[in-house]
Amino acid sequence: MARPTALITGASAGFGLALSRALVRRGWRVIGTGRRAERLARAAEELGAAFIPVPGDVTDPAHRALLAETASSAGELALVVNNASRLGPSPLVRLADYPLDELELVYRTNVLAPLAVMQFALPLLAPGGSVVNISSDAAIESYPEWGGYGSSKAALDQLTAILGAEHPDRSIYAFDPGDMRTEMHQAAFPGHDISDRPEPDTVVPALLRLLEEKPKNARYAAADFAVGHAS
Protein backbone atom coordinates (compact mmCIF):
# COMPACT_ATOMS: atom_id res chain seq x y z
CA MET A 1 0.00 0.00 0.00
CA ALA A 2 1.32 3.44 -0.95
CA ARG A 3 2.34 5.79 1.81
CA PRO A 4 -0.15 8.59 2.54
CA THR A 5 1.32 12.00 1.72
CA ALA A 6 1.04 15.19 3.76
CA LEU A 7 1.92 18.73 2.75
CA ILE A 8 3.01 20.81 5.75
CA THR A 9 4.05 24.46 5.65
CA GLY A 10 6.35 25.78 8.35
CA ALA A 11 7.78 22.26 8.65
CA SER A 12 11.34 23.14 9.62
CA ALA A 13 10.75 23.97 13.30
CA GLY A 14 8.20 24.04 16.12
CA PHE A 15 4.83 22.38 15.65
CA GLY A 16 5.35 21.75 11.93
CA LEU A 17 8.54 19.79 12.54
CA ALA A 18 7.01 17.89 15.47
CA LEU A 19 4.04 16.88 13.31
CA SER A 20 6.35 15.88 10.44
CA ARG A 21 8.30 13.62 12.79
CA ALA A 22 5.12 11.99 14.09
CA LEU A 23 3.75 11.33 10.62
CA VAL A 24 7.02 9.92 9.27
CA ARG A 25 7.16 7.56 12.26
CA ARG A 26 3.67 6.40 11.28
CA GLY A 27 4.73 5.59 7.74
CA TRP A 28 3.72 8.81 6.01
CA ARG A 29 5.57 10.77 3.38
CA VAL A 30 5.78 14.51 4.13
CA ILE A 31 6.32 17.36 1.70
CA GLY A 32 7.68 20.04 4.01
CA THR A 33 8.33 23.68 3.30
CA GLY A 34 9.91 26.49 5.28
CA ARG A 35 11.70 29.78 4.72
CA ARG A 36 14.97 28.71 6.35
CA ALA A 37 16.64 26.30 3.98
CA GLU A 38 19.30 25.20 6.46
CA ARG A 39 16.70 24.20 9.05
CA LEU A 40 14.68 22.35 6.44
CA ALA A 41 17.83 20.53 5.33
CA ARG A 42 18.44 19.43 8.94
CA ALA A 43 14.88 18.15 9.13
CA ALA A 44 15.40 16.20 5.91
CA GLU A 45 18.64 14.73 7.25
CA GLU A 46 16.87 13.65 10.43
CA LEU A 47 13.73 12.24 8.80
CA GLY A 48 15.25 10.63 5.74
CA ALA A 49 13.75 9.93 2.34
CA ALA A 50 10.19 10.11 3.66
CA PHE A 51 10.61 13.88 4.08
CA ILE A 52 10.69 15.92 0.87
CA PRO A 53 12.05 19.42 1.57
CA VAL A 54 10.90 22.33 -0.58
CA PRO A 55 12.54 25.44 0.90
CA GLY A 56 10.92 28.80 0.26
CA ASP A 57 8.44 31.40 1.41
CA VAL A 58 4.74 30.55 1.05
CA THR A 59 3.97 34.19 0.30
CA ASP A 60 5.98 33.85 -2.94
CA PRO A 61 3.78 32.75 -5.87
CA ALA A 62 6.77 31.11 -7.58
CA HIS A 63 7.43 29.02 -4.49
CA ARG A 64 3.78 28.02 -4.25
CA ALA A 65 3.90 26.96 -7.90
CA LEU A 66 6.86 24.71 -7.07
CA LEU A 67 4.96 23.32 -4.07
CA ALA A 68 1.96 22.60 -6.27
CA GLU A 69 4.17 20.85 -8.83
CA THR A 70 5.86 18.76 -6.11
CA ALA A 71 2.53 17.81 -4.55
CA SER A 72 1.02 16.92 -7.91
CA SER A 73 3.96 14.70 -8.83
CA ALA A 74 3.63 12.93 -5.48
CA GLY A 75 0.07 11.90 -6.31
CA GLU A 76 -2.91 12.34 -4.00
CA LEU A 77 -2.56 14.26 -0.76
CA ALA A 78 -4.06 12.76 2.40
CA LEU A 79 -3.39 15.84 4.52
CA VAL A 80 -2.62 19.54 4.10
CA VAL A 81 -1.49 21.54 7.14
CA ASN A 82 -1.11 25.31 6.86
CA ASN A 83 1.20 25.85 9.82
CA ALA A 84 3.51 28.63 8.58
CA SER A 85 2.72 31.87 10.39
CA ARG A 86 4.08 35.37 10.89
CA LEU A 87 3.83 37.02 14.30
CA GLY A 88 4.48 40.61 13.28
CA PRO A 89 6.61 43.11 15.22
CA SER A 90 8.47 41.90 18.29
CA PRO A 91 7.83 43.23 20.89
CA LEU A 92 4.13 43.29 20.01
CA VAL A 93 2.53 46.70 19.41
CA ARG A 94 -0.93 48.17 19.80
CA LEU A 95 -3.08 48.51 16.70
CA ALA A 96 -2.98 52.31 16.87
CA ASP A 97 0.79 52.11 16.38
CA TYR A 98 0.91 49.05 14.11
CA PRO A 99 3.12 49.54 11.01
CA LEU A 100 0.78 48.88 8.11
CA ASP A 101 3.52 47.39 5.95
CA GLU A 102 4.11 44.82 8.71
CA LEU A 103 0.38 44.14 8.96
CA GLU A 104 0.27 43.48 5.23
CA LEU A 105 3.07 40.91 5.61
CA VAL A 106 1.20 39.24 8.48
CA TYR A 107 -1.96 38.94 6.38
CA ARG A 108 -0.04 37.72 3.33
CA THR A 109 1.51 34.94 5.42
CA ASN A 110 -1.37 34.01 7.71
CA VAL A 111 -4.38 34.48 5.41
CA LEU A 112 -3.58 34.79 1.71
CA ALA A 113 -0.85 32.14 1.55
CA PRO A 114 -2.93 29.43 3.28
CA LEU A 115 -5.83 30.15 0.92
CA ALA A 116 -3.50 29.96 -2.08
CA VAL A 117 -2.15 26.62 -0.83
CA MET A 118 -5.68 25.29 -0.39
CA GLN A 119 -6.65 26.44 -3.87
CA PHE A 120 -4.04 24.20 -5.48
CA ALA A 121 -4.20 21.44 -2.86
CA LEU A 122 -7.96 20.79 -2.65
CA PRO A 123 -8.11 19.20 -6.12
CA LEU A 124 -5.23 16.91 -5.06
CA LEU A 125 -6.89 15.86 -1.82
CA ALA A 126 -7.70 12.17 -1.69
CA PRO A 127 -11.19 10.97 -0.69
CA GLY A 128 -11.21 11.10 3.09
CA GLY A 129 -8.34 13.60 3.10
CA SER A 130 -8.10 16.50 5.53
CA VAL A 131 -7.03 20.15 5.60
CA VAL A 132 -5.91 21.70 8.89
CA ASN A 133 -5.26 25.42 9.27
CA ILE A 134 -3.36 26.24 12.46
CA SER A 135 -5.17 28.92 14.44
CA SER A 136 -4.72 30.57 17.83
CA ASP A 137 -6.80 31.66 20.79
CA ALA A 138 -5.77 35.18 19.76
CA ALA A 139 -8.31 34.75 16.94
CA ILE A 140 -11.20 34.74 19.42
CA GLU A 141 -9.84 36.62 22.45
CA SER A 142 -9.22 40.39 22.59
CA TYR A 143 -5.64 40.40 23.84
CA PRO A 144 -4.05 43.87 23.85
CA GLU A 145 -1.15 44.12 21.38
CA TRP A 146 -2.19 40.92 19.59
CA GLY A 147 -4.39 42.73 17.06
CA GLY A 148 -2.32 42.05 13.97
CA TYR A 149 -1.70 38.35 14.53
CA GLY A 150 -5.07 37.74 16.16
CA SER A 151 -7.12 39.39 13.44
CA SER A 152 -5.20 37.47 10.77
CA LYS A 153 -5.98 34.19 12.52
CA ALA A 154 -9.63 35.25 12.87
CA ALA A 155 -9.70 35.80 9.11
CA LEU A 156 -8.11 32.39 8.58
CA ASP A 157 -10.74 30.81 10.86
CA GLN A 158 -13.51 32.34 8.76
CA LEU A 159 -11.91 31.25 5.50
CA THR A 160 -11.64 27.75 6.94
CA ALA A 161 -15.28 27.71 8.04
CA ILE A 162 -16.52 28.85 4.63
CA LEU A 163 -14.32 26.39 2.75
CA GLY A 164 -15.65 23.67 5.03
CA ALA A 165 -19.22 24.68 4.13
CA GLU A 166 -18.37 24.84 0.44
CA HIS A 167 -16.69 21.42 0.52
CA PRO A 168 -18.78 19.29 2.87
CA ASP A 169 -17.27 16.16 1.32
CA ARG A 170 -13.85 17.16 2.68
CA SER A 171 -12.58 17.42 6.25
CA ILE A 172 -11.48 21.04 6.73
CA TYR A 173 -10.55 22.25 10.20
CA ALA A 174 -9.12 25.20 12.08
CA PHE A 175 -7.00 23.87 14.94
CA ASP A 176 -5.79 25.90 17.92
CA PRO A 177 -2.79 24.12 19.47
CA GLY A 178 -2.62 26.47 22.45
CA ASP A 179 0.54 28.03 23.85
CA MET A 180 3.69 26.12 22.99
CA ARG A 181 7.40 26.52 23.63
CA THR A 182 8.31 27.78 20.16
CA GLU A 183 10.52 30.46 18.68
CA MET A 184 7.49 32.50 17.62
CA HIS A 185 5.93 32.34 21.07
CA GLN A 186 9.23 33.49 22.56
CA ALA A 187 9.30 36.41 20.13
CA ALA A 188 5.89 37.45 21.44
CA PHE A 189 7.35 37.62 24.94
CA PRO A 190 10.97 38.76 24.50
CA GLY A 191 13.04 38.38 27.64
CA HIS A 192 10.39 36.25 29.38
CA ASP A 193 10.83 32.67 30.50
CA ILE A 194 8.38 30.50 28.54
CA SER A 195 9.77 27.18 29.76
CA ASP A 196 6.40 26.43 31.40
CA ARG A 197 4.75 26.16 27.96
CA PRO A 198 4.41 22.63 26.56
CA GLU A 199 6.75 21.39 23.87
CA PRO A 200 5.13 21.11 20.42
CA ASP A 201 5.47 17.33 20.30
CA THR A 202 3.17 17.03 23.32
CA VAL A 203 0.39 18.73 21.32
CA VAL A 204 0.72 16.59 18.19
CA PRO A 205 -1.33 13.66 19.61
CA ALA A 206 -4.37 15.94 19.88
CA LEU A 207 -4.14 16.81 16.18
CA LEU A 208 -3.66 13.15 15.26
CA ARG A 209 -6.79 12.31 17.24
CA LEU A 210 -8.71 14.99 15.36
CA LEU A 211 -7.59 13.42 12.08
CA GLU A 212 -8.55 9.94 13.25
CA GLU A 213 -11.99 10.91 14.55
CA LYS A 214 -12.87 13.25 11.66
CA PRO A 215 -15.60 15.28 13.38
CA LYS A 216 -17.73 17.76 11.46
CA ASN A 217 -15.97 20.67 9.79
CA ALA A 218 -15.39 23.31 12.46
CA ARG A 219 -12.83 25.06 14.65
CA TYR A 220 -11.25 22.92 17.37
CA ALA A 221 -8.65 23.35 20.09
CA ALA A 222 -6.05 20.84 21.21
CA ALA A 223 -7.84 20.62 24.56
CA ASP A 224 -10.87 19.15 22.73
CA PHE A 225 -8.79 16.10 21.83
CA ALA A 226 -6.57 15.77 24.89
CA VAL A 227 -6.22 12.35 26.49
CA GLY A 228 -9.21 11.79 28.75
CA HIS A 229 -11.40 14.33 26.94
CA ALA A 230 -14.58 12.85 25.50
CA SER A 231 -14.85 14.47 22.07
Side-chain angles (χ1 to χ4, degrees), residues 179-181 185 189 192-199 202:
D179 289 351
M180 294 181 292
R181 200 182 314 170
H185 197 77
F189 300 99
H192 290 251
D193 180 9
I194 64 166
S195 61
D196 60 328
R197 275 67 163 185
E199 292 282 4
T202 66

Side-chain angles (χ1 to χ4, degrees), residues 93-105:
V93 296
R94 293 176 178 269
L95 281 176
D97 304 313
Y98 210 107
L100 294 184
D101 56 343
E102 277 291 328
L103 186 62
E104 183 177 353
L105 290 174

